[in-house]
Amino acid sequence: MLKCYTIFMKGFSLLEFIAMFAILFVITAIVVGGFVMFKRGNELTLAKEHTLSQLTEAKTRTLAAYQNAAWGTHMETDRVILFKGSFVSGNQENETAMLPTDVEISSIALNGGGSDVIIKRLTGSTDQYGTITLRLKNDPAKTRTITIESNGNFY
């Protein structure tokens, strides 16, 4: 009977509790850190898709002769703006797509300079071909690049 009683008297020491909580803390930190990095990478991909969507919408509207005009996109650090004709800041017809707060447009390298891509009527091509680079503000090494070809294709 004494043997059985000593088995139940055994428990965890303070040192064992501290070690267990330390291990749980490390595992939790790894899981949460991985989730945060996944979320940020997802926001970067989402920002690229939104930018491509604005470029595609400009091309679609131009080729469809919507409102009998050429359409384009204007890029700023934190937004992409769809416009009709030529870009005028503050025009109420402009359609703005904000980028996620963790993402910014870090580089715009278009033929002829500037930050506008205007689609030509009838052909869907553009004279403003080149690249647009998006990056995470907190991790500038993480980037996505959009390539705009002269024939009006983007990827």
Side-chain angles (χ1 to χ4, degrees):
M1 177 109 168
L2 183 62
K3 207 177 212 181
C4 186
Y5 180 72
T6 58
I7 291 174
F8 290 112
M9 293 292 291
K10 283 187 169 184
F12 294 106
S13 70
L14 181 60
L15 186 59
E16 290 170 325
F17 271 118
I18 291 172
M20 179 183 71
F21 283 119
I23 290 170
L24 285 174
F25 178 76
V26 169
I27 290 171
T28 302
I30 290 170
V31 169
V32 169
F35 177 72
V36 168
M37 290 308 294
F38 171 76
K39 183 178 178 261
R40 286 183 182 157
N42 196 30
E43 284 183 349
L44 190 57
T45 300
L46 181 66
K48 179 179 179 180
E49 294 302 321
H50 279 226
T51 305
L52 285 170
S53 177
Q54 290 289 77
L55 288 162
T56 302
E57 184 64 19
K59 184 174 182 179
T60 301
R61 288 183 185 188
T62 299
L63 291 175
Y66 180 68
Q67 295 183 355
N68 201 27
W71 288 78
T73 55
H74 173 77
M75 269 60 88
E76 294 181 6
T77 305
D78 62 344
R79 68 193 75 204
V80 180
I81 303 168
L82 180 67
F83 64 87
K84 178 175 74 171
S86 59
F87 179 71
V88 176
S89 182
N91 186 334
Q92 290 191 353
E93 289 184 340
N94 293 346
E95 297 175 29
T96 302
M98 299 299 293
L99 298 176
T101 56
D102 290 347
V103 179
E104 66 184 353
I105 295 177
S106 61
S107 166
I108 302 171
L110 299 175
N111 181 48
S115 56
D116 297 346
V117 176
I118 300 171
I119 306 299
K120 293 180 182 178
R121 295 183 70 187
L122 300 177
T123 64
S125 63
T126 182
D127 290 332
Q128 297 83 25
Y129 52 88
T131 59
I132 300 166
T133 305
L134 299 119
R135 72 175 176 194
L136 286 176
K137 291 178 183 177
N138 298 332
D139 188 358
K142 302 256 191 235
T143 64
R144 297 286 187 276
T145 301
I146 296 172
T147 301
I148 301 166
E149 297 177 340
S150 61
N151 62 5
N153 291 336
F154 355 94
Y155 54 90

